[in-house]
Amino acid sequence: MKYVLVIDQGTTSSRAILFNTNGEVVGQAQQEFKQIYPKPGWVEHDPIDILSSVRSVISTALTEARVKHSELIGMGITNQRETVVMWDKQTGEPIYNAIVWQCRRTLERCVELEEYKDEILVRTGLKLDSYFSASKIEWLLKNVEKAKELLSSHRLLVGTIDTYLMWQLSGGKIYKTDYTNASRTMLYNIHTLSWDTYLCNLFDIPMEFLPEVCPSSYTYGTTDKEILGFEIPICGVAGDQQSALFGQCCFDKGDLKVTYGTGCFLLMNTGSEALVSKNGLITSLGCQTDQTPSYVLEGSVFVGGAVIQWLRDELKVITSASESEDLARSVEDTNGVYLVPAFVGLGAPYWNFEAEGLITGITRGTNKAHITRAALEAIAFEVNDVVEAMKKDLGVDILTIEVDGGAIGNNFLMEFQADITNAVIARPKNREVTALGAFYLAALHLNLFESLEEIKLKNPIERTFIPQMEKEKRDTKLEGWKKAIRKSALK
């Protein structure tokens, strides 16, 4: 038996997942690492912690699954996007902590660049925001003395987490990234498939020290035996959300997936067309198996599953996330209650950072079951808002939505999502879809599958949720939600 090793390097933990050649998980390991908050709104990771955790989970997964190095035929990597690392080409030492995608230290800088937002959107498909990598790289170059020194002596390297890991695991032989990660830097032209001279000049970033950009399914190079203990090709790389889209087998134009995590991430495959959204979404590059560009529309909901954590940890309404389903089902409806979890403003499609969280419609008869049900319904309403924006941009109806993430085990949420979106919700049997995407990308390059159609046959659906709600009732509920959103946005 042969195996493919996938590294899933996330925001709070690193994971190693071993797949056999049929795409079945045969072993895995996970390790959390420290979150660093130097100032309010600043978020950092120690790159050495990340690398150490990755090497540790690789060793643990192989040992516990009793898989030998000689049985590995390839590696895939999927990673937290936008997070930036700088390091010394000669020593491999990071010159500063990784600046995490959540970090808002460059918010004021982005406000200064407001006049360039339309040009940035045209070239990158992204909104001008500190969320993306460009202003983080600029900050490091301007504020870290070591960066200036190494840049002048041509020893400075920079990259997203995938680039940093590949460079380290290959002993400095691989200095590359893939199209999906590059498209999230706000420095990459998604139409010409190249680093953009205009944007690099705007942020005063030397283009010549940026990594080479390659397709997601591609031989990037091999791991170094002295560092990892074995040599295998790295041949599948993608940012986590695009990897999940690929893992869900959303290979065709109009295919849509929703990841229910702390927030909710919706990505739609738009094929070879880079749609410029008129409804509050952004455009990125999707996973590519060759040089032909593939595009996605993306909408991010800031607070998804986090609202259930809030009920548990702050309000003490529930003692566990799993308890929310039974409590929600204990009442027929929310009794007119709507909860808008705009704890950090509203994301897509509103992009209103001044909106505030609220609970509206409370009466003397309101109890914790109504509030819990309203919280779960709010997640579905938020997702539906983005789905509606995608339908308008693409000009087609959406009949089926692929789902993944921790919250998809909540059957009430999935049922209500189907009802309120009036679409079939498809829950996969294999829920490791983010890692699965990286596996498929590597497997295609290793010729384990002959076609995308063959991959689809390996990815069965566990359960579908069919819309049951009558149109009149759906319209009434949606109008109530829109009213609550308007209240949340009042200033």
Side-chain angles (χ1 to χ4, degrees):
M1 184 65 75
K2 298 296 182 182
Y3 303 93
V4 174
L5 171 65
V6 171
I7 305 304
D8 182 354
Q9 203 299 298
T11 307
T12 59
S13 69
S14 299
R15 302 172 67 224
I17 302 97
L18 284 164
F19 292 90
N20 64 21
T21 53
N22 290 319
E24 299 164 330
V25 175
V26 297
Q28 57 183 304
Q30 181 171 2
Q31 183 175 311
E32 295 185 356
F33 52 85
K34 185 180 179 182
Q35 306 294 302
I36 303 168
Y37 308 103
K39 296 181 182 180
W42 290 31
V43 189
E44 297 176 359
H45 294 154
D46 183 340
I48 295 175
D49 282 352
I50 290 177
L51 180 61
S52 175
S53 67
V54 166
R55 293 179 67 173
S56 176
V57 293
I58 289 173
S59 176
T60 302
L62 289 171
T63 300
E64 294 187 356
R66 296 182 180 179
V67 171
K68 299 175 184 177
H69 298 162
S70 59
E71 295 174 314
L72 295 174
I73 57 174
M75 177 188 288
I77 296 175
T78 182
N79 58 285
Q80 54 168 313
R81 304 176 301 173
E82 299 95 21
T83 297
V84 168
V85 185
M86 275 187 184
W87 67 98
D88 185 335
K89 181 180 182 179
Q90 189 168 302
T91 67
E93 291 294 316
I95 63 157
Y96 191 85
N97 281 337
I99 301 183
V100 181
W101 59 272
Q102 300 159 317
C103 188
R104 306 300 282 177
R105 76 184 64 193
T106 59
L107 191 60
E108 289 184 9
R109 174 59 175 152
C110 289
V111 172
E112 291 174 5
L113 295 168
E114 187 73 13
E115 64 183 287
Y116 302 100
K117 66 178 183 180
D118 292 338
E119 191 66 34
I120 288 171
L121 178 65
V122 167
R123 292 168 184 265
T124 69
L126 306 176
K127 291 181 176 293
L128 170 62
D129 199 284
S130 60
Y131 175 59
F132 304 109
S133 309
S135 60
K136 303 179 195 300
I137 297 173
E138 181 189 45
W139 187 93
L140 287 165
L141 289 172
K142 288 184 176 180
N143 292 277
V144 181
E145 201 60 40
K146 189 74 171 177
K148 300 171 188 176
E149 294 173 15
L150 293 178
L151 185 63
S152 63
S153 60
H154 306 287
R155 282 175 50 186
L156 187 65
L157 298 180
V158 66
T160 43
I161 295 297
D162 58 311
T163 302
Y164 174 68
L165 289 179
M166 283 192 284
W167 194 91
Q168 294 288 358
L169 296 178
S170 68
K173 294 191 293 287
I174 304 174
Y175 188 50
K176 298 173 182 177
T177 187
D178 89 301
Y179 290 129
T180 67
N181 280 293
S183 73
R184 306 294 293 186
T185 61
M186 215 162 66
L187 294 171
Y188 195 72
N189 192 311
I190 62 172
H191 310 289
T192 63
L193 298 187
S194 61
W195 296 114
D196 193 284
T197 303
Y198 174 88
L199 295 175
C200 287
N201 289 337
L202 179 64
F203 288 96
D204 199 19
I205 295 170
M207 193 162 61
E208 61 271 13
F209 93 121
L210 297 172
E212 179 187 351
V213 186
C214 307
S216 304
S217 182
Y218 179 83
T219 298
Y220 286 80
T222 59
T223 60
D224 188 276
K225 189 171 184 178
E226 289 186 13
I227 293 171
L228 210 53
F230 53 89
E231 291 183 3
I232 56 168
I234 299 173
C235 45
V237 178
D240 53 11
Q241 297 307 320
Q242 285 99 325
S243 186
L245 186 72
F246 204 79
Q248 288 279 23
C249 298
C250 293
F251 304 140
D252 302 316
K253 185 175 181 178
D255 286 351
L256 168 65
K257 74 89 186 173
V258 183
T259 298
Y260 296 82
T262 302
C264 295
F265 294 89
L266 291 83
L267 270 71
M268 175 190 277
N269 186 336
T270 62
S272 59
E273 184 179 8
L275 287 177
V276 177
S277 176
K278 297 178 180 178
N279 297 283
L281 307 177
I282 59 178
T283 307
S284 297
L285 284 164
C287 295
Q288 293 156 257
T289 56
D290 54 30
Q291 302 288 346
T292 307
S294 171
Y295 297 96
V296 298
L297 272 180
E298 178 171 339
S300 302
V301 173
F302 294 153
V303 177
V307 70
I308 304 304
Q309 295 172 332
W310 175 73
L311 290 181
R312 180 194 65 196
D313 300 337
E314 308 304 328
L315 294 194
K316 312 294 184 185
V317 169
I318 55 177
T319 57
S320 67
S322 58
E323 188 183 327
S324 63
E325 179 173 351
D326 289 339
L327 197 54
R329 290 190 188 278
S330 70
V331 289
E332 289 186 9
D333 53 37
T334 66
N335 199 24
V337 173
Y338 286 86
L339 192 160
V340 180
F343 302 151
V344 288
L346 291 169
Y350 304 103
W351 296 105
N352 186 335
F353 294 99
E354 295 186 348
E356 297 177 344
L358 65 80
I359 302 175
T360 184
I362 296 174
T363 65
R364 182 65 182 82
T366 299
N367 60 40
K368 66 178 184 179
H370 296 127
I371 292 173
T372 301
R373 184 168 178 134
L376 286 170
E377 290 188 0
I379 298 172
F381 282 129
E382 290 179 304
V383 166
N384 183 67
D385 287 341
V386 180
V387 171
E388 289 298 316
M390 288 181 168
K391 287 161 70 171
K392 290 175 185 175
D393 278 333
L394 199 61
V396 298
D397 204 4
I398 294 171
L399 304 179
T400 302
I401 300 173
E402 313 291 337
V403 296
D404 61 86
I408 66 171
N410 189 308
N411 290 333
F412 170 80
L413 174 59
M414 295 297 98
E415 290 166 10
F416 189 78
Q417 189 71 77
D419 284 342
I420 212 65
T421 313
N422 197 30
V424 174
I425 302 299
R427 185 166 68 191
K429 184 176 181 181
N430 188 340
R431 299 188 187 183
E432 294 286 356
V433 294
T434 303
L436 199 58
F439 163 75
Y440 287 149
L441 290 165
L444 282 167
H445 200 70
L446 294 166
N447 296 315
L448 298 181
F449 300 110
E450 292 184 5
S451 66
L452 296 178
E453 291 304 315
E454 185 184 351
I455 288 177
K456 285 184 178 181
L457 296 175
K458 299 279 187 180
N459 201 19
I461 297 300
E462 178 214 63
R463 179 176 173 182
T464 55
F465 297 84
I466 313 296
Q468 303 290 335
M469 190 177 289
E470 295 178 359
K471 183 179 184 302
E472 184 178 350
K473 185 177 180 180
R474 180 185 306 114
D475 291 345
T476 300
K477 285 186 173 293
L478 286 170
E479 185 51 47
W481 170 251
K482 290 173 185 175
K483 185 178 177 181
I485 286 287
R486 288 194 292 269
K487 289 179 180 180
S488 169
L490 284 176
K491 274 289 184 182

